[in-house]
Amino acid sequence: MAIELKMPALSPTMEEGTLAKWLVKEGDEVSAGDVLAEIETDKATMEFESIDEGVVGKILVAEGSENVQVGTVIAILAGEGEDVSDASPVASPEPAAGEEATAPAESAPAAAEKPTAKERPADPEIPAGTNMATLTVREALRDAMAEEMRLDERVFVMGEEVAEYQGAYKVTQGLLEEFGPKRVIDTPITEYGFAGIGTGAAMGGLRPIVEFMTFNFAMQAIDHIINSAAKTNYMSGGQMRCPVVFRGPNGAASRVAAQHSQNYASWYAHVPGLVVIAPYDSSDAKGLLKAAIRSEDPVIFLENELIYGNSFEVAQLDDHVLPIGKARIMREGADVTIVSYSIGVKFALEAAEELAGEGIDAEVIDLRTLRPLDTATVLESLAKTNRLVVAEEGWPTCSIASEIIALCMEEGFDHLDAPVLRVCNEDVPLPYAANLEKMALIDAPRIVAAAKKVCYKD
Amino acid sequence: MRSLQERFEKSKRYKASEEELLAFYEKMLLIRRFEEKAGQLYGLGLIGGFCHLYIGQEAVAVGLQSALEEGKDSVITGYRDHGHMLAYGIDPKVIMAELTGRAAGISRGKGGSMHMFSTEHAFYGGHGIVGAQVPLGAGLAFAHQYNEDGGLCMAYFGDGAANQGQVYETFNMAALWNLPIVFIVENNQYAMGTSVKRSSAETEFYRRGTAFRIPGMDVNGMDVLEVHQAARVAVEHVRGGNGPVLMELNTYRYRGHSMSDPAKYRTREEVQGVREKSDPIEMAKAELIKAGIDEDKLKEIDKDIRAVVAEAADFAENSPELEPHELYTDVLVENY
Ligand SMILES: Cc1ncc(C[n+]2csc(CCOP(=O)(O)OP(=O)(O)O)c2C)c(N)n1
Ligand SMILES: [Mg+2]
């Protein structure tokens, strides 16, 4: 059996090379391991060894040939007694003159159909006559954790000051008392360590809720969140799940300066393999945290210290769980769409109220989930109002706002009557000084101004 | 690993002259009164955000930094930083004005309580992320070694911070490279509401350098003379080119962790007990009286210090806010 010897790839990126020198000639007997030729790439000269034994039947590419494509047959190795003297390469990548040039089938990348986003369920109907309770966001979050802990033994909470101190921001109030120290665990101040332990526990089949005192400190732990939690399912071909929830306050608080005031939404939303949720009101906080705890995926759950104490109505259902990945229309309107999330929704609603007074009917969308984004809801609204503003309590560059603008360009261009504007924080580290801090952060008047601008009414 | 401790234990308390003891006393008192005033201004809404007071821990910064060469040896710490600045002779007015967020503040109002710096005094902050100052301090020490300027770095961190992994990465490199650094664990017994025994497998922090061959020292941080004596031993060792030292300063914070602390994790009696038995300022005062100093003189000092602090507060309240355009300055150094 004649064996074709092909130009080898000597590195993962090599596409062609120079056949510098043959170390054998036709008729030589070779055995496995013998060096047949020297091949030069742009990086190095390498020896090309035989992996078979036989007789060098015919050399098809002469030494000194440059730009020999990887895969080209360069010689034929004959078996015992075979004559291959008039052999020619079977499929030369260099097409002969006159032949139609066709790309070799294997070099064409396999075209894969990108999965289309699935239709996401709407929020479940609240049956008529359901009792509504007024809860703070803080209480709603606590209730979500407590309910899930009652339902599922695997759920536990860990973080700094979550147990005996009742939470640095009192979100875990009462949990230690109800569930005991096995399931409500105070950690030392070692974010990298306990984020890793939480991630590992999730891999081991538990359902950890890891609280970061604030997301500023999750920077110590971000390697585990991204390299360990987000990628493992993919890298293991879907074998190793990581159903962990990382939660805590995110974004600016009040007068705590640059290192304690940052919105990490776009950082995490950038990463495939993570789910990122940032609710605004108590109902969403509760319903989405419950969904996050039940999710098989790692979830980043971004809260906001400044709205922990705000009260909203929550339906008193046995199981108030909301769909991840679904935006919520907070206020319907016809003239302009304001897209926001987290505390931005508060300012957007204030702005809509103000705009209504000036005869502009604004629709307000709370994204709620930032990855995966509910693009359909945004685009439908844009198709209706033809004008859009994004309000985000965070820096403008490479933000969620940038992402929404890209979406409107790519998929909503025909519906746009004005450029999409973003209203974000000033592009500076957050200053401590009261007057400068106020200037740096978004507020309703800035959203009003942008909305008027896209309506050409300023 | 115990050699420094042994040397220190031979004579544990520094034999201060009356003048020296008086200087320690005045600095500690300045810190105490300054912090009390800051607490008041916070209550009035003039200071915002997080504000961590140093009351109870005064002997640590004063005893240690008096063994350094101000402006040559660098100091770095966390967010509980007012005392370390005052101990290094930085003007109380600009510290207080930073607390009120005014243009005259030491960080021009942009950093606030947790983020103050003075390169002039070789005080490198003022860091809000627990533990971050430890490798940064080793970097400062690296620069001293590199520049052969004879300086060393004193890097302070808390008992809570002592559990951050980066601390141990730093210990390894500091020992490996023989860096001129004194690591200071200010063990005030709590990290927010978590007591040392609830967070730490090894609660004797001075031992935690052993695996890296860093000698440890166990020091009573409530006695300024003991602190100073220990500092002299450590500084001599480091300056001699012998690599890092790890000192544990046992101390106590009287106030809450920051201004919003429910303080349910310890009893009032516990706090009261420390105040009565081992207050660093009272101890120094008793010592001064024993040495025969005139009590009127002490009263006068107290009066003077109150005046300095009142003046700082006045300045901080009345100096102007920043110009709006300052929002955009200092982000980058150069224009691109
Ligand atoms: C990385 C990080 N995690 C958490 C926090 C929140 N936090 C601020 S101070 C503190 C306690 C630190 O205690 P300790 O190190 O003992 O210093 P002390 O406050 O007692 O001086 C915590 C948890 C933070 N600032 N940075
Ligand atoms: Mg402490």
Side-chain angles (χ1 to χ4, degrees), chain A residues 160 189 191 213 217 220 260, chain B residues 79-80 128-130 158-161 164 188 190-192 257:
Chain A
E160 293 160 22
I189 312 170
E191 287 82 3
M213 191 175 284
F217 315 138
Q220 303 277 325
H260 285 74
Chain B
Y79 41 83
R80 195 180 300 285
I129 302 302
V130 167
D159 45 283
Q164 285 284 30
N188 61 9
Y190 293 92
M192 291 186 68
H257 167 72

mmCIF file of all heavy atoms in Angstrom, chain A residues 160 189 191 213 217 220 260, chain B residues 79-80 128-130 158-161 164 188 190-192 257, ligand 1:
data_model
loop_
_atom_site.group_PDB
_atom_site.id
_atom_site.type_symbol
_atom_site.label_atom_id
_atom_site.label_comp_id
_atom_site.label_asym_id
_atom_site.label_seq_id
_atom_site.Cartn_x
_atom_site.Cartn_y
_atom_site.Cartn_z
ATOM 1 N N GLU A 160 -19.722 37.861 54.087
ATOM 2 C CA GLU A 160 -19.230 38.605 55.253
ATOM 3 C C GLU A 160 -20.403 39.206 56.013
ATOM 4 O O GLU A 160 -21.236 39.890 55.419
ATOM 5 C CB GLU A 160 -18.274 39.724 54.780
ATOM 6 C CG GLU A 160 -17.001 39.160 54.185
ATOM 7 C CD GLU A 160 -16.269 40.155 53.288
ATOM 8 O OE1 GLU A 160 -16.469 41.373 53.415
ATOM 9 O OE2 GLU A 160 -15.486 39.689 52.436
ATOM 10 N N ILE A 189 -12.975 37.929 55.694
ATOM 11 C CA ILE A 189 -12.937 38.867 54.565
ATOM 12 C C ILE A 189 -11.982 38.308 53.522
ATOM 13 O O ILE A 189 -10.825 38.706 53.431
ATOM 14 C CB ILE A 189 -12.483 40.263 55.027
ATOM 15 C CG1 ILE A 189 -13.254 40.688 56.269
ATOM 16 C CG2 ILE A 189 -12.705 41.293 53.913
ATOM 17 C CD1 ILE A 189 -12.703 41.937 56.905
ATOM 18 N N GLU A 191 -12.781 37.428 49.827
ATOM 19 C CA GLU A 191 -13.733 37.276 48.723
ATOM 20 C C GLU A 191 -13.284 36.246 47.695
ATOM 21 O O GLU A 191 -14.091 35.460 47.203
ATOM 22 C CB GLU A 191 -13.952 38.622 48.024
ATOM 23 C CG GLU A 191 -14.780 39.623 48.820
ATOM 24 C CD GLU A 191 -13.979 40.384 49.847
ATOM 25 O OE1 GLU A 191 -12.741 40.191 49.927
ATOM 26 O OE2 GLU A 191 -14.574 41.197 50.583
ATOM 27 N N MET A 213 -20.521 41.883 50.173
ATOM 28 C CA MET A 213 -20.989 43.012 50.982
ATOM 29 C C MET A 213 -21.362 44.151 50.042
ATOM 30 O O MET A 213 -22.389 44.787 50.211
ATOM 31 C CB MET A 213 -19.920 43.420 51.973
ATOM 32 C CG MET A 213 -20.411 44.392 53.008
ATOM 33 S SD MET A 213 -19.165 44.727 54.250
ATOM 34 C CE MET A 213 -19.213 43.255 55.239
ATOM 35 N N PHE A 217 -16.342 44.705 46.078
ATOM 36 C CA PHE A 217 -15.394 43.747 46.646
ATOM 37 C C PHE A 217 -15.358 42.449 45.845
ATOM 38 O O PHE A 217 -14.469 41.623 46.031
ATOM 39 C CB PHE A 217 -15.722 43.484 48.109
ATOM 40 C CG PHE A 217 -16.016 44.749 48.876
ATOM 41 C CD1 PHE A 217 -17.050 44.825 49.788
ATOM 42 C CD2 PHE A 217 -15.265 45.899 48.640
ATOM 43 C CE1 PHE A 217 -17.327 46.005 50.456
ATOM 44 C CE2 PHE A 217 -15.549 47.078 49.312
ATOM 45 C CZ PHE A 217 -16.578 47.133 50.226
ATOM 46 N N GLN A 220 -12.233 41.317 43.898
ATOM 47 C CA GLN A 220 -11.254 40.384 44.451
ATOM 48 C C GLN A 220 -11.549 38.975 43.964
ATOM 49 O O GLN A 220 -10.688 38.111 44.001
ATOM 50 C CB GLN A 220 -11.347 40.383 45.992
ATOM 51 C CG GLN A 220 -11.149 41.714 46.651
ATOM 52 C CD GLN A 220 -9.689 42.042 46.822
ATOM 53 O OE1 GLN A 220 -8.879 41.171 47.062
ATOM 54 N NE2 GLN A 220 -9.349 43.297 46.689
ATOM 55 N N HIS A 260 -15.876 52.603 46.274
ATOM 56 C CA HIS A 260 -17.093 51.950 46.751
ATOM 57 C C HIS A 260 -18.320 52.315 45.917
ATOM 58 O O HIS A 260 -19.444 52.139 46.373
ATOM 59 C CB HIS A 260 -17.377 52.326 48.208
ATOM 60 C CG HIS A 260 -16.483 51.647 49.204
ATOM 61 N ND1 HIS A 260 -15.166 51.998 49.379
ATOM 62 C CD2 HIS A 260 -16.709 50.633 50.071
ATOM 63 C CE1 HIS A 260 -14.637 51.244 50.330
ATOM 64 N NE2 HIS A 260 -15.545 50.409 50.762
ATOM 65 N N TYR B 79 -8.741 52.292 55.301
ATOM 66 C CA TYR B 79 -9.683 53.412 55.329
ATOM 67 C C TYR B 79 -9.719 54.102 56.681
ATOM 68 O O TYR B 79 -10.215 55.203 56.806
ATOM 69 C CB TYR B 79 -11.095 52.864 55.002
ATOM 70 C CG TYR B 79 -11.255 51.570 55.729
ATOM 71 C CD1 TYR B 79 -11.646 51.547 57.063
ATOM 72 C CD2 TYR B 79 -10.828 50.381 55.147
ATOM 73 C CE1 TYR B 79 -11.641 50.377 57.784
ATOM 74 C CE2 TYR B 79 -10.827 49.199 55.861
ATOM 75 C CZ TYR B 79 -11.238 49.196 57.170
ATOM 76 O OH TYR B 79 -11.205 48.046 57.888
ATOM 77 N N ARG B 80 -9.228 53.429 57.740
ATOM 78 C CA ARG B 80 -9.261 54.029 59.084
ATOM 79 C C ARG B 80 -7.963 54.822 59.228
ATOM 80 O O ARG B 80 -7.046 54.432 59.917
ATOM 81 C CB ARG B 80 -9.355 52.912 60.132
ATOM 82 C CG ARG B 80 -9.744 53.376 61.528
ATOM 83 C CD ARG B 80 -9.802 52.196 62.506
ATOM 84 N NE ARG B 80 -10.763 51.178 62.148
ATOM 85 C CZ ARG B 80 -12.078 51.278 62.279
ATOM 86 N NH1 ARG B 80 -12.608 52.362 62.800
ATOM 87 N NH2 ARG B 80 -12.880 50.305 61.892
ATOM 88 N N GLY B 128 -9.590 51.742 50.347
ATOM 89 C CA GLY B 128 -10.913 51.266 50.749
ATOM 90 C C GLY B 128 -11.140 49.777 50.600
ATOM 91 O O GLY B 128 -12.108 49.248 51.122
ATOM 92 N N ILE B 129 -10.264 49.120 49.880
ATOM 93 C CA ILE B 129 -10.479 47.697 49.656
ATOM 94 C C ILE B 129 -9.640 46.927 50.668
ATOM 95 O O ILE B 129 -8.414 47.027 50.680
ATOM 96 C CB ILE B 129 -10.099 47.310 48.206
ATOM 97 C CG1 ILE B 129 -10.917 48.142 47.194
ATOM 98 C CG2 ILE B 129 -10.284 45.823 47.960
ATOM 99 C CD1 ILE B 129 -12.416 48.020 47.295
ATOM 100 N N VAL B 130 -10.322 46.179 51.509
ATOM 101 C CA VAL B 130 -9.655 45.525 52.634
ATOM 102 C C VAL B 130 -8.520 44.608 52.150
ATOM 103 O O VAL B 130 -8.761 43.694 51.368
ATOM 104 C CB VAL B 130 -10.684 44.725 53.461
ATOM 105 C CG1 VAL B 130 -9.985 43.786 54.432
ATOM 106 C CG2 VAL B 130 -11.604 45.675 54.218
ATOM 107 N N GLY B 158 -5.824 45.478 59.175
ATOM 108 C CA GLY B 158 -6.600 45.037 60.331
ATOM 109 C C GLY B 158 -6.552 43.538 60.529
ATOM 110 O O GLY B 158 -6.042 42.789 59.689
ATOM 111 N N ASP B 159 -7.115 43.102 61.644
ATOM 112 C CA ASP B 159 -7.223 41.671 61.914
ATOM 113 C C ASP B 159 -8.109 41.001 60.867
ATOM 114 O O ASP B 159 -7.895 39.854 60.500
ATOM 115 C CB ASP B 159 -7.798 41.435 63.310
ATOM 116 C CG ASP B 159 -8.998 42.323 63.586
ATOM 117 O OD1 ASP B 159 -8.799 43.528 63.860
ATOM 118 O OD2 ASP B 159 -10.140 41.837 63.479
ATOM 119 N N GLY B 160 -9.096 41.742 60.383
ATOM 120 C CA GLY B 160 -9.956 41.179 59.335
ATOM 121 C C GLY B 160 -9.211 41.080 58.021
ATOM 122 O O GLY B 160 -9.250 40.050 57.334
ATOM 123 N N ALA B 161 -8.494 42.120 57.698
ATOM 124 C CA ALA B 161 -7.729 42.144 56.444
ATOM 125 C C ALA B 161 -6.695 41.024 56.424
ATOM 126 O O ALA B 161 -6.320 40.530 55.360
ATOM 127 C CB ALA B 161 -7.039 43.494 56.290
ATOM 128 N N GLN B 164 -7.071 38.057 54.061
ATOM 129 C CA GLN B 164 -7.083 38.146 52.597
ATOM 130 C C GLN B 164 -5.880 37.403 52.014
ATOM 131 O O GLN B 164 -4.752 37.524 52.510
ATOM 132 C CB GLN B 164 -7.015 39.606 52.128
ATOM 133 C CG GLN B 164 -8.311 40.380 52.280
ATOM 134 C CD GLN B 164 -9.362 40.041 51.228
ATOM 135 O OE1 GLN B 164 -9.408 38.931 50.723
ATOM 136 N NE2 GLN B 164 -10.214 40.994 50.913
ATOM 137 N N ASN B 188 -7.634 45.097 66.455
ATOM 138 C CA ASN B 188 -8.568 45.768 67.376
ATOM 139 C C ASN B 188 -9.703 44.833 67.743
ATOM 140 O O ASN B 188 -10.753 45.258 68.184
ATOM 141 C CB ASN B 188 -9.060 47.093 66.778
ATOM 142 C CG ASN B 188 -9.806 46.889 65.465
ATOM 143 O OD1 ASN B 188 -10.097 45.766 65.077
ATOM 144 N ND2 ASN B 188 -10.114 47.979 64.792
ATOM 145 N N TYR B 190 -11.921 43.185 66.249
ATOM 146 C CA TYR B 190 -13.120 43.014 65.432
ATOM 147 C C TYR B 190 -12.880 43.485 64.001
ATOM 148 O O TYR B 190 -12.173 44.469 63.778
ATOM 149 C CB TYR B 190 -14.298 43.836 65.988
ATOM 150 C CG TYR B 190 -14.776 43.332 67.325
ATOM 151 C CD1 TYR B 190 -14.251 43.862 68.508
ATOM 152 C CD2 TYR B 190 -15.724 42.319 67.405
ATOM 153 C CE1 TYR B 190 -14.666 43.386 69.735
ATOM 154 C CE2 TYR B 190 -16.144 41.833 68.634
ATOM 155 C CZ TYR B 190 -15.611 42.372 69.800
ATOM 156 O OH TYR B 190 -16.016 41.890 71.011
ATOM 157 N N ALA B 191 -13.520 42.801 63.086
ATOM 158 C CA ALA B 191 -13.648 43.290 61.716
ATOM 159 C C ALA B 191 -15.136 43.540 61.551
ATOM 160 O O ALA B 191 -15.922 42.592 61.537
ATOM 161 C CB ALA B 191 -13.167 42.249 60.726
ATOM 162 N N MET B 192 -15.520 44.770 61.517
ATOM 163 C CA MET B 192 -16.939 45.136 61.623
ATOM 164 C C MET B 192 -17.535 44.408 62.816
ATOM 165 O O MET B 192 -17.135 44.668 63.928
ATOM 166 C CB MET B 192 -17.690 44.836 60.330
ATOM 167 C CG MET B 192 -17.275 45.765 59.199
ATOM 168 S SD MET B 192 -18.221 45.577 57.697
ATOM 169 C CE MET B 192 -19.819 46.162 58.163
ATOM 170 N N HIS B 257 -17.677 50.373 64.071
ATOM 171 C CA HIS B 257 -16.783 50.182 62.916
ATOM 172 C C HIS B 257 -16.731 51.435 62.052
ATOM 173 O O HIS B 257 -15.688 51.946 61.703
ATOM 174 C CB HIS B 257 -17.264 48.992 62.081
ATOM 175 C CG HIS B 257 -16.599 48.917 60.746
ATOM 176 N ND1 HIS B 257 -15.290 48.544 60.610
ATOM 177 C CD2 HIS B 257 -17.040 49.225 59.508
ATOM 178 C CE1 HIS B 257 -14.959 48.601 59.328
ATOM 179 N NE2 HIS B 257 -16.000 49.012 58.640
HETATM 180 C C1 LIG C 1 -12.356 43.611 49.838
HETATM 181 C C2 LIG C 1 -13.270 44.232 50.823
HETATM 182 N N1 LIG C 1 -14.219 43.462 51.410
HETATM 183 C C3 LIG C 1 -15.078 44.003 52.298
HETATM 184 C C4 LIG C 1 -15.014 45.331 52.609
HETATM 185 C C5 LIG C 1 -16.011 45.936 53.601
HETATM 186 N N2 LIG C 1 -15.326 46.194 54.865
HETATM 187 C C6 LIG C 1 -14.810 47.415 55.110
HETATM 188 S S1 LIG C 1 -13.974 47.446 56.560
HETATM 189 C C7 LIG C 1 -14.294 45.843 56.885
HETATM 190 C C8 LIG C 1 -13.776 45.231 58.144
HETATM 191 C C9 LIG C 1 -12.285 45.220 58.223
HETATM 192 O O1 LIG C 1 -11.838 44.882 59.488
HETATM 193 P P1 LIG C 1 -10.316 44.966 59.928
HETATM 194 O O2 LIG C 1 -9.443 44.520 58.820
HETATM 195 O O3 LIG C 1 -10.199 44.240 61.219
HETATM 196 O O4 LIG C 1 -10.015 46.516 60.134
HETATM 197 P P2 LIG C 1 -10.685 47.525 61.180
HETATM 198 O O5 LIG C 1 -11.914 48.077 60.518
HETATM 199 O O6 LIG C 1 -10.973 46.793 62.410
HETATM 200 O O7 LIG C 1 -9.686 48.627 61.339
HETATM 201 C C10 LIG C 1 -15.065 45.292 55.863
HETATM 202 C C11 LIG C 1 -15.545 43.896 55.843
HETATM 203 C C12 LIG C 1 -14.038 46.104 51.945
HETATM 204 N N3 LIG C 1 -13.929 47.419 52.161
HETATM 205 N N4 LIG C 1 -13.178 45.535 51.073
#
